[in-house]
Amino acid sequence: MNTAVVTPAPTARPGDAATGPLPPEADGLPPPVGAFHYTRFAPRLPKLANGIEAGRHPVVIAGGGPVGMALALGLANHGVRSVILEADDTVCVGSRAACISRRSLEIVERLGALPAFLDKGLAWTGGRSFYKTEEVFRFEMPHDALQKLPPMINLEQYYIEQYLLDEITRRNAAEPGLIDIRWGTELIGFEQDDEGLTLQARNALGAYTLAAAWLVGCDGGQSFVRKSLGLNLEGTGYEGRYVIIDIELHSAYPTERRAWFDPPWNPGSTVLMHRQPDDIWRIDYQLRAGQSTEEALKPEAVAEFVQRHLDAIGEGHLPWNTVWTSVYRAGAMTLSSYRHGRVLFAGNAAHAMPIFGVRGLNSGFDDADNLAWKLALVTRGLSGAALLDTYSQERIAAFHINAESAMRSTEFMSPPSRGFDLLREAALSLSGAHRGIANLINPRQTQAVRYDDSPLSSPSDPLPSGPRPGETVPEHPLGDGLHLTDWIGPRFTVLVLGIEGPDAAFEAELAAAQTGPLEAAVHRLPRAAQNAPVLEAMGAQEGAVYLLRPDGHVAARWRRPPPGALTQALARASASIVKENA
């Protein structure tokens, strides 16, 4: 048996279903991980008069993790300045959220950070599941030549945060102060009224007061903002606990998700394994009832388990060392509303997701993408505050869609009762011979959701194919390296597909949409042989018009919009027909 190299590694504090893994306590600069080296960012104070910062910021974001930074970049796409208050003085420690979906990559592309994600991230399309030592299920996520992005990449969260931070740095170089990120600064109090918020912040240099029109809590599972308002996440918490271990292992095994159910080297449990950049491998294993969390996280216990696992899969001869450990308890929980006056919530501050199906950070990116354009329109005075209520409505509906799939996976991965355990055992024992039963093992990976019954969607025409109102636009190559999704955001977009012949009234509406306050973009795709595949996929063989929101969801679609329909749909999608007080 190979002797593991056991080195001191950052260890997260135990979390629960509402928080997930917590960051380790600060104790010196975290050690490098592979090619990644941490940077400590110094705190600073803004210009103050008697402890008060002058002026009012349009948006203050509590929490500078990936969701907070994504929201700030999304607001910047609309020219809206923001301040991020981040209590830590480095990007996060540990892999944490490490699987990024195609939908999230589309969002990251609109934020300007996609090249770095793709250059470093490891793309993968499927995975395998084993019962004891027998392979019983193999899955492949949808992927074909029509799509420019992989269905999933593995990328540790410290890289995710660093690449978003790099983009923030680039934006600030071009427009100083566009995103004011204040490291080592915690929010310690706030009050709100009809006009805005007064906030208290503190860092190692002192405390001060600042003002904001809007506050967004992106401060994670232990959200100070949420607790300050006396709010709690509600939903389902599971008893199953998972130890998360990052190891450095120079293995040539391909990038795919592997899951072992009831393996002989850890009977009665489940083990997951993912490859990450820099030869870092993520291992998650389920603690059995009665096992001590504290005992499981001891270095000698971690080393013994990892070595036993590597021996069992034929890689025990390879040298390895531990770089990070944590514990996670699965849960599907949400706030009942993501808007409370002038305070909004996103990411883990708003909801908690089980790790299965990788819906945690991917849901957070969707939160930021949905909220950024709406908050920007309200901040700029182009929409009423009712638009922000649709953020809460749509993202809570998305939570329940995601939670349903995640909870099914969780109940299979971590049976909540003896009955579920017996059902799983029966399914696993039969799955090797019966493909239909094996589908129960499908991890149901995250995908873009449809906002059914969104108040922002307008009556539309049925088409033979193509995305319906509330759905996202799929990728389709348009030639010369261009894809249909390249036409999305940051404005509303009108797609005029395969429509020929003059229509003076419609052209006037298009011109008004382009030159109006929302400055909608218009893209045309003529009826031509090279465009036939896209027109067919969009149901536009005889012509069609789509109105797309800045987040890529369809607001309306028509074969031919009747007079005034485009103008009305644009007003409805932006809530510009509602002008109420916040």
Side-chain angles (χ1 to χ4, degrees):
M1 179 182 294
N2 176 64
T3 301
V5 179
V6 181
T7 57
T11 301
R13 291 166 284 156
D16 58 28
T19 65
L22 307 177
E25 300 284 4
D27 184 20
L29 192 66
V33 183
F36 188 85
H37 289 71
Y38 282 87
T39 299
R40 193 173 296 287
F41 301 98
R44 58 181 175 80
L45 290 175
K47 185 177 181 180
L48 302 173
N50 298 319
I52 300 173
E53 183 179 6
R56 174 179 290 167
H57 300 288
V59 180
V60 169
I61 300 168
V67 176
M69 285 194 274
L71 176 60
L73 286 166
L75 290 168
N77 282 346
H78 298 270
V80 175
R81 294 175 178 267
S82 63
V83 172
I84 298 175
L85 304 179
E86 172 50 50
D88 291 336
D89 59 2
T90 69
V91 297
C92 78
V93 175
S95 60
R96 296 174 67 83
C99 297
I100 306 300
S101 70
R102 175 184 284 127
R103 168 63 180 167
S104 291
L105 291 174
E106 291 176 1
I107 294 169
V108 168
E109 181 176 28
R110 294 199 289 274
L111 301 180
L114 181 64
F117 275 63
L118 293 182
D119 287 346
K120 191 67 179 182
L122 302 179
W124 58 282
T125 59
R128 299 193 289 162
S129 297
F130 302 85
Y131 177 46
K132 299 186 185 297
T133 59
E134 177 191 7
E135 182 178 324
V136 293
F137 183 73
R138 183 173 295 197
F139 72 91
E140 289 288 331
M141 293 177 285
H143 184 59
D144 55 45
L146 296 178
Q147 293 149 335
K148 68 176 179 179
L149 298 172
M152 199 79 69
I153 67 168
N154 286 349
L155 184 66
E156 298 96 333
Q157 187 169 322
Y158 43 82
Y159 276 119
I160 293 169
E161 293 186 9
Q162 185 62 54
Y163 295 151
L164 293 173
L165 178 59
D166 291 343
E167 179 60 23
I168 288 174
T169 301
R170 285 189 287 269
R171 300 287 188 101
N172 284 335
E175 188 175 345
L178 182 61
I179 301 174
D180 183 354
I181 183 165
R182 301 179 182 180
W183 294 97
T185 301
E186 59 180 333
L187 178 67
I188 58 173
F190 61 89
E191 296 177 348
Q192 62 171 315
D193 57 30
D194 291 343
E195 301 301 319
L197 301 105
T198 301
L199 306 97
Q200 289 77 46
R202 178 179 63 198
N203 61 31
L205 303 178
Y208 61 94
T209 298
L210 65 161
W214 298 93
L215 170 66
V216 186
C218 298
D219 48 345
Q222 292 278 48
S223 173
F224 170 82
V225 178
R226 189 180 69 221
K227 292 177 180 179
S228 296
L229 293 178
L231 303 173
N232 295 301
L233 301 183
E234 300 175 353
T236 302
Y238 292 94
E239 292 302 317
R241 294 163 297 148
Y242 274 78
V243 173
I244 303 173
I245 307 169
D246 284 353
I247 64 172
E248 186 174 18
L249 172 74
H250 301 288
S251 168
Y253 197 86
T255 306
E256 66 176 12
R257 172 197 178 275
R258 284 180 287 174
W260 292 266
F261 296 93
D262 196 19
W265 59 95
N266 201 49
S269 177
T270 305
V271 182
L272 307 174
M273 193 169 184
H274 269 288
R275 184 188 190 113
Q276 301 178 99
D278 298 335
D279 287 322
I280 304 299
W281 291 79
R282 167 81 167 262
I283 301 173
D284 303 63
Y285 81 91
Q286 182 184 6
L287 290 176
R288 295 184 295 273
Q291 280 187 286
S292 165
T293 297
E294 291 73 18
E295 290 294 323
L297 286 176
K298 288 183 176 179
E300 59 271 22
V302 169
E304 191 277 333
F305 173 81
V306 172
Q307 190 61 57
R308 180 157 35 99
H309 173 69
L310 295 179
D311 287 340
I313 65 174
E315 297 195 330
H317 61 288
L318 299 174
W320 63 274
N321 64 280
T322 308
V323 296
W324 183 69
T325 60
S326 182
V327 172
Y328 183 86
R329 189 189 301 275
M333 301 179 174
T334 182
L335 289 172
S336 60
S337 174
Y338 295 173
R339 181 191 173 197
H340 294 264
R342 289 187 170 268
V343 181
L344 300 123
F345 292 91
N348 286 346
H351 47 72
M353 282 285 184
I355 60 174
F356 311 115
V358 296
R359 292 173 173 82
L361 177 54
N362 290 302
S363 292
F365 276 134
D366 253 328
D367 290 346
D369 194 43
N370 187 298
L371 178 57
W373 67 270
K374 295 176 179 179
L375 186 53
L377 289 182
V378 173
T379 299
R380 294 167 57 197
L382 298 176
S383 297
L387 184 60
L388 298 176
D389 293 324
T390 72
Y391 160 69
S392 180
Q393 295 163 8
E394 291 181 344
R395 293 309 301 155
I396 289 177
F399 166 84
H400 289 295
I401 294 171
N402 282 318
E404 182 178 3
S405 291
M407 290 168 69
R408 289 180 187 175
S409 295
T410 301
E411 287 167 353
F412 196 88
M413 303 293 285
S414 301
S417 68
R418 179 59 180 159
F420 276 95
D421 195 39
L422 291 172
L423 176 63
R424 185 179 84 158
E425 184 177 343
L428 287 166
S429 62
L430 294 171
S431 58
H434 300 279
R435 174 68 184 185
I437 294 176
N439 281 324
L440 292 171
I441 308 172
N442 192 331
R444 301 178 180 87
Q445 302 293 349
T446 183
Q447 56 186 347
V449 300
R450 177 190 178 192
Y451 296 137
D452 284 312
D453 303 319
S454 170
L456 303 185
S457 297
S458 292
S460 299
D461 293 338
L463 295 175
S465 57
R468 297 169 293 170
E471 291 182 333
T472 57
V473 172
E475 293 180 332
H476 282 285
L478 301 176
D480 297 326
L482 186 68
H483 279 71
L484 190 59
T485 52
D486 294 333
W487 285 345
I488 296 172
R491 301 177 179 85
F492 283 89
T493 300
V494 183
L495 299 181
V496 182
L497 307 177
I499 291 182
E500 300 175 352
D503 184 334
F506 178 58
E507 293 297 327
E509 274 195 84
L510 284 177
Q514 289 175 281
T515 58
L518 297 177
E519 298 179 326
V522 175
H523 294 281
R524 302 174 189 265
L525 201 64
R527 197 177 303 173
Q530 67 270 23
N531 297 330
V534 180
L535 296 177
E536 182 178 359
M538 298 292 286
Q541 298 95 322
E542 303 300 323
V545 174
Y546 282 81
L547 174 61
L548 309 181
R549 301 166 12 161
D551 55 12
H553 287 264
V554 175
R557 66 178 192 177
W558 307 272
R559 295 179 184 274
R560 295 287 194 283
L566 175 61
T567 301
Q568 293 172 8
L570 191 58
R572 179 170 182 168
S574 63
S576 59
I577 56 176
V578 179
K579 289 289 185 181
E580 60 173 32
N581 292 326

